[in-house]
Amino acid sequence: MTQRLLPSGFSDLEPFADWALAGETSRLQKRLASSMEEIQGFYSAMLDRIEDALEYLNGFSLDELPEPEQRLLKMTLSLAEVWVAVELYKQPDHPFGLDMRRFVPGEANSVPPV
C-alpha cells in the first residue's frame, strides 16, 4: 500500500509536495533557492486550490492533523511565503538590498513551527 502524500482530492498538488516545509526559515530558503518558473508553477497550482484546501483543513484540529493534512497545511503556508515573489518582486528575492538569506525569523525563539 502506497502512503499518500496529500489528502484525497488534492493529488493534483503532489508534484509540489516539496513545498510542504515546517517553519518560516525553511520556506524562505526554498523560495530563494527556486527559479521563478518553479515558484510560479507552485503559486498557480496552490492559488487555484487554496479555498478548497482551507475549507478542507478547517474540519481538523491543528493538534490532530494526520500527515497528509499536515503537508497540505504546510503547502498553504508556503503559498503565503511565495506570493510576494510572484506579485510584487517578480523574482525570488526582493529588490530592495537586504540579503534575505541573512534574515532570521523570530520562529527560532517562539512556538514550534507548523
Side-chain angles (χ1 to χ4, degrees), residues 21-29 77 81 103-114:
L21 300 164
E24 185 179 356
T25 301
S26 296
R27 293 188 290 269
L28 173 63
Q29 290 172 348
L77 296 172
E81 182 65 45
F103 176 72
V104 180
E107 71 186 25
N109 299 319
S110 61
V111 296
V114 175

mmCIF file of all heavy atoms in Angstrom, residues 21-29 77 81 103-114:
data_model
loop_
_atom_site.group_PDB
_atom_site.id
_atom_site.type_symbol
_atom_site.label_atom_id
_atom_site.label_comp_id
_atom_site.label_asym_id
_atom_site.label_seq_id
_atom_site.Cartn_x
_atom_site.Cartn_y
_atom_site.Cartn_z
ATOM 1 N N LEU A 21 6.924 22.558 3.914
ATOM 2 C CA LEU A 21 8.072 22.781 4.791
ATOM 3 C C LEU A 21 7.645 23.361 6.129
ATOM 4 O O LEU A 21 6.799 24.263 6.187
ATOM 5 C CB LEU A 21 9.048 23.744 4.108
ATOM 6 C CG LEU A 21 9.595 23.240 2.774
ATOM 7 C CD1 LEU A 21 10.226 24.377 1.994
ATOM 8 C CD2 LEU A 21 10.576 22.114 2.997
ATOM 9 N N ALA A 22 8.266 22.867 7.181
ATOM 10 C CA ALA A 22 7.988 23.371 8.519
ATOM 11 C C ALA A 22 8.858 24.593 8.784
ATOM 12 O O ALA A 22 10.062 24.575 8.532
ATOM 13 C CB ALA A 22 8.276 22.294 9.562
ATOM 14 N N GLY A 23 8.248 25.642 9.231
ATOM 15 C CA GLY A 23 8.994 26.819 9.651
ATOM 16 C C GLY A 23 9.226 27.832 8.551
ATOM 17 O O GLY A 23 9.473 27.492 7.394
ATOM 18 N N GLU A 24 9.148 29.079 8.935
ATOM 19 C CA GLU A 24 9.316 30.191 8.008
ATOM 20 C C GLU A 24 10.708 30.197 7.369
ATOM 21 O O GLU A 24 10.852 30.509 6.184
ATOM 22 C CB GLU A 24 9.063 31.500 8.743
ATOM 23 C CG GLU A 24 9.102 32.718 7.862
ATOM 24 C CD GLU A 24 8.813 34.005 8.619
ATOM 25 O OE1 GLU A 24 8.506 33.949 9.827
ATOM 26 O OE2 GLU A 24 8.919 35.066 8.000
ATOM 27 N N THR A 25 11.717 29.845 8.129
ATOM 28 C CA THR A 25 13.080 29.836 7.597
ATOM 29 C C THR A 25 13.207 28.861 6.438
ATOM 30 O O THR A 25 13.765 29.195 5.387
ATOM 31 C CB THR A 25 14.093 29.504 8.713
ATOM 32 O OG1 THR A 25 13.983 30.472 9.742
ATOM 33 C CG2 THR A 25 15.507 29.478 8.180
ATOM 34 N N SER A 26 12.696 27.657 6.602
ATOM 35 C CA SER A 26 12.758 26.652 5.528
ATOM 36 C C SER A 26 11.991 27.114 4.299
ATOM 37 O O SER A 26 12.437 26.915 3.162
ATOM 38 C CB SER A 26 12.175 25.325 6.007
ATOM 39 O OG SER A 26 12.949 24.799 7.043
ATOM 40 N N ARG A 27 10.842 27.730 4.514
ATOM 41 C CA ARG A 27 10.046 28.211 3.378
ATOM 42 C C ARG A 27 10.761 29.348 2.646
ATOM 43 O O ARG A 27 10.769 29.404 1.413
ATOM 44 C CB ARG A 27 8.655 28.625 3.852
ATOM 45 C CG ARG A 27 7.839 27.435 4.348
ATOM 46 C CD ARG A 27 6.405 27.787 4.650
ATOM 47 N NE ARG A 27 6.239 28.624 5.820
ATOM 48 C CZ ARG A 27 6.048 28.165 7.057
ATOM 49 N NH1 ARG A 27 6.015 26.857 7.281
ATOM 50 N NH2 ARG A 27 5.881 28.991 8.062
ATOM 51 N N LEU A 28 11.380 30.244 3.394
ATOM 52 C CA LEU A 28 12.127 31.340 2.784
ATOM 53 C C LEU A 28 13.315 30.796 1.990
ATOM 54 O O LEU A 28 13.569 31.200 0.860
ATOM 55 C CB LEU A 28 12.605 32.322 3.849
ATOM 56 C CG LEU A 28 13.548 33.434 3.371
ATOM 57 C CD1 LEU A 28 12.854 34.337 2.352
ATOM 58 C CD2 LEU A 28 14.049 34.247 4.558
ATOM 59 N N GLN A 29 14.050 29.852 2.573
ATOM 60 C CA GLN A 29 15.200 29.268 1.886
ATOM 61 C C GLN A 29 14.780 28.562 0.601
ATOM 62 O O GLN A 29 15.465 28.654 -0.418
ATOM 63 C CB GLN A 29 15.940 28.311 2.815
ATOM 64 C CG GLN A 29 16.664 29.028 3.927
ATOM 65 C CD GLN A 29 17.236 28.084 4.974
ATOM 66 O OE1 GLN A 29 16.923 26.899 5.023
ATOM 67 N NE2 GLN A 29 18.072 28.628 5.844
ATOM 68 N N LEU A 77 1.023 27.424 3.812
ATOM 69 C CA LEU A 77 1.923 28.398 4.422
ATOM 70 C C LEU A 77 3.037 28.794 3.449
ATOM 71 O O LEU A 77 3.472 29.953 3.437
ATOM 72 C CB LEU A 77 2.503 27.837 5.724
ATOM 73 C CG LEU A 77 1.469 27.581 6.823
ATOM 74 C CD1 LEU A 77 2.110 26.852 8.003
ATOM 75 C CD2 LEU A 77 0.809 28.861 7.274
ATOM 76 N N GLU A 81 4.363 32.450 1.646
ATOM 77 C CA GLU A 81 5.764 32.870 1.524
ATOM 78 C C GLU A 81 6.118 33.291 0.096
ATOM 79 O O GLU A 81 6.921 34.199 -0.089
ATOM 80 C CB GLU A 81 6.692 31.724 1.961
ATOM 81 C CG GLU A 81 8.155 32.054 1.932
ATOM 82 C CD GLU A 81 8.556 33.140 2.921
ATOM 83 O OE1 GLU A 81 8.123 33.087 4.077
ATOM 84 O OE2 GLU A 81 9.298 34.046 2.507
ATOM 85 N N PHE A 103 18.302 37.065 6.901
ATOM 86 C CA PHE A 103 17.119 37.304 7.717
ATOM 87 C C PHE A 103 16.846 36.082 8.586
ATOM 88 O O PHE A 103 16.813 34.960 8.097
ATOM 89 C CB PHE A 103 15.918 37.596 6.813
ATOM 90 C CG PHE A 103 14.627 37.764 7.553
ATOM 91 C CD1 PHE A 103 14.395 38.899 8.311
ATOM 92 C CD2 PHE A 103 13.646 36.807 7.478
ATOM 93 C CE1 PHE A 103 13.202 39.066 8.990
ATOM 94 C CE2 PHE A 103 12.445 36.949 8.152
ATOM 95 C CZ PHE A 103 12.229 38.089 8.904
ATOM 96 N N VAL A 104 16.647 36.288 9.876
ATOM 97 C CA VAL A 104 16.345 35.187 10.796
ATOM 98 C C VAL A 104 14.968 35.452 11.405
ATOM 99 O O VAL A 104 14.834 36.341 12.254
ATOM 100 C CB VAL A 104 17.400 35.078 11.919
ATOM 101 C CG1 VAL A 104 17.059 33.940 12.862
ATOM 102 C CG2 VAL A 104 18.795 34.908 11.323
ATOM 103 N N PRO A 105 13.951 34.718 10.942
ATOM 104 C CA PRO A 105 12.605 34.921 11.500
ATOM 105 C C PRO A 105 12.582 34.672 12.992
ATOM 106 O O PRO A 105 13.413 33.922 13.528
ATOM 107 C CB PRO A 105 11.765 33.895 10.758
ATOM 108 C CG PRO A 105 12.529 33.592 9.520
ATOM 109 C CD PRO A 105 13.975 33.724 9.896
ATOM 110 N N GLY A 106 11.644 35.264 13.660
ATOM 111 C CA GLY A 106 11.502 35.107 15.103
ATOM 112 C C GLY A 106 11.112 33.727 15.544
ATOM 113 O O GLY A 106 11.083 33.438 16.721
ATOM 114 N N GLU A 107 10.843 32.826 14.609
ATOM 115 C CA GLU A 107 10.408 31.484 14.965
ATOM 116 C C GLU A 107 11.417 30.736 15.826
ATOM 117 O O GLU A 107 11.044 29.873 16.587
ATOM 118 C CB GLU A 107 10.111 30.658 13.706
ATOM 119 C CG GLU A 107 11.339 30.289 12.947
ATOM 120 C CD GLU A 107 11.050 29.593 11.636
ATOM 121 O OE1 GLU A 107 9.981 29.777 11.076
ATOM 122 O OE2 GLU A 107 11.931 28.868 11.190
ATOM 123 N N ALA A 108 12.687 31.076 15.713
ATOM 124 C CA ALA A 108 13.712 30.379 16.484
ATOM 125 C C ALA A 108 13.500 30.555 17.985
ATOM 126 O O ALA A 108 13.907 29.719 18.771
ATOM 127 C CB ALA A 108 15.097 30.860 16.091
ATOM 128 N N ASN A 109 12.848 31.631 18.371
ATOM 129 C CA ASN A 109 12.635 31.913 19.789
ATOM 130 C C ASN A 109 11.164 31.849 20.182
ATOM 131 O O ASN A 109 10.786 32.378 21.207
ATOM 132 C CB ASN A 109 13.177 33.293 20.128
ATOM 133 C CG ASN A 109 14.659 33.382 19.875
ATOM 134 O OD1 ASN A 109 15.380 32.441 20.192
ATOM 135 N ND2 ASN A 109 15.107 34.459 19.300
ATOM 136 N N SER A 110 10.356 31.194 19.347
ATOM 137 C CA SER A 110 8.927 31.183 19.632
ATOM 138 C C SER A 110 8.390 29.761 19.621
ATOM 139 O O SER A 110 9.124 28.815 19.884
ATOM 140 C CB SER A 110 8.194 32.066 18.612
ATOM 141 O OG SER A 110 8.392 31.556 17.313
ATOM 142 N N VAL A 111 7.142 29.620 19.274
ATOM 143 C CA VAL A 111 6.479 28.329 19.286
ATOM 144 C C VAL A 111 7.049 27.426 18.200
ATOM 145 O O VAL A 111 7.621 27.905 17.221
ATOM 146 C CB VAL A 111 4.948 28.489 19.070
ATOM 147 C CG1 VAL A 111 4.331 29.255 20.218
ATOM 148 C CG2 VAL A 111 4.669 29.178 17.752
ATOM 149 N N PRO A 112 6.903 26.104 18.327
ATOM 150 C CA PRO A 112 7.402 25.189 17.305
ATOM 151 C C PRO A 112 6.756 25.481 15.959
ATOM 152 O O PRO A 112 5.600 25.867 15.894
ATOM 153 C CB PRO A 112 6.985 23.814 17.822
ATOM 154 C CG PRO A 112 6.714 24.007 19.272
ATOM 155 C CD PRO A 112 6.295 25.422 19.445
ATOM 156 N N PRO A 113 7.516 25.314 14.841
ATOM 157 C CA PRO A 113 6.970 25.594 13.516
ATOM 158 C C PRO A 113 5.882 24.617 13.126
ATOM 159 O O PRO A 113 5.883 23.475 13.576
ATOM 160 C CB PRO A 113 8.179 25.465 12.596
ATOM 161 C CG PRO A 113 9.128 24.582 13.334
ATOM 162 C CD PRO A 113 8.884 24.832 14.803
ATOM 163 N N VAL A 114 4.965 25.083 12.295
ATOM 164 C CA VAL A 114 3.895 24.228 11.771
ATOM 165 C C VAL A 114 4.344 23.660 10.451
ATOM 166 O O VAL A 114 4.941 24.296 9.659
ATOM 167 C CB VAL A 114 2.603 25.042 11.583
ATOM 168 C CG1 VAL A 114 1.533 24.194 10.938
ATOM 169 C CG2 VAL A 114 2.136 25.588 12.887
#
